[in-house]
Amino acid sequence: ISKLRNFGLSKASGEYIAYLDADDVWEKEKLQEQIDLLKNNPSKGLVFTDVIEFDGSAIIKNGLYQHKVWKDISFKDILSNTLPIYPSSILYRKTGLEKITWHDESFLWNDLGFITRFVAYNGAVMSPKKLTRIRKHNSNISTIKRNEAVGFRDMINTTEFLFKQNLLSRAE
């Protein structure tokens, strides 16, 4: 997946970038809502939406953030897992890619590291609207047990990177 995401980034030509995983769904107004939020928040590099988790026929979870609007989002929120962000819910400002390394292709799945680095250097804003539907099933990459170790290793490498960049101190 990391290699495919990087390929897509290398071919992107617009001002904004968004991923839509094959089993997820966007509401029709998602992109316009996010573009408007980024235009109104020029210092932020990405915007994400609240999500609805579903299994194809029924809603499993109707929103992740319980009506909480995150105003000042930091990479620490993402690293601590208090603010889970699904890649399909994000719209990135393409200029933010110049400040970070892209997806580490030595990992099958590197979304957490990429999102954390992007937010650390570019900032983020949230739309509390539920504009992304995340399909949950047993073959989701994020739910397969063998990928838990990959995600954990990714978090360790991202934390190490942030330390080296002096974006995170041991006191925090």
Side-chain angles (χ1 to χ4, degrees), residues 10-161:
S10 73
K11 299 297 181 188
S13 61
E15 187 177 345
Y16 305 103
I17 296 170
Y19 302 128
L20 178 59
D21 291 339
D23 51 357
D24 298 337
V25 180
W26 289 342
E27 299 298 332
K28 65 181 179 181
E29 66 273 17
K30 176 193 178 283
L31 292 176
Q32 189 59 57
E33 165 81 12
Q34 291 180 299
I35 289 168
D36 292 345
L37 275 168
L38 283 177
K39 285 182 178 179
N40 291 328
N41 293 277
S43 67
K44 304 299 182 188
L46 74 78
V47 59
F48 64 98
T49 71
D50 201 349
V51 303
I52 295 171
E53 294 178 349
F54 71 109
D55 67 4
S57 60
I59 292 175
I60 299 168
K61 195 168 198 175
N62 192 4
L64 290 181
Y65 309 116
Q66 286 88 26
H67 308 289
K68 181 174 184 178
V69 177
W70 292 75
K71 302 257 185 212
D72 188 23
I73 299 159
S74 74
F75 62 87
K76 294 174 200 167
D77 295 319
I78 298 166
L79 271 182
S80 67
N81 206 28
T82 58
L83 183 63
I85 301 175
Y86 283 99
S88 290
S89 76
I90 299 172
L91 180 71
Y92 299 93
R93 199 182 299 273
K94 187 177 178 190
T95 55
L97 293 173
E98 299 163 3
K99 300 176 184 177
I100 67 165
T101 56
W102 293 3
H103 294 273
D104 183 342
E105 293 182 14
S106 66
F107 297 115
L108 170 67
W109 173 63
N110 186 245
D111 290 326
L112 176 63
F114 180 79
I115 293 167
T116 304
R117 285 190 308 278
F118 200 96
V119 171
Y121 283 98
N122 298 284
V125 63
M126 175 195 164
S127 168
K129 296 179 181 176
K130 299 169 195 159
L131 300 174
T132 308
R133 292 179 176 262
I134 305 297
R135 189 181 318 265
K136 293 294 193 175
H137 49 80
N138 290 336
S139 58
N140 284 110
I141 288 177
S142 59
T143 59
I144 298 172
K145 290 291 184 188
R146 65 183 161 85
N147 283 330
E148 289 178 355
V150 173
F152 183 71
R153 188 174 69 189
D154 182 21
M155 188 180 306
I156 290 170
N157 287 340
T158 299
T159 304
E160 181 179 62
F161 170 82

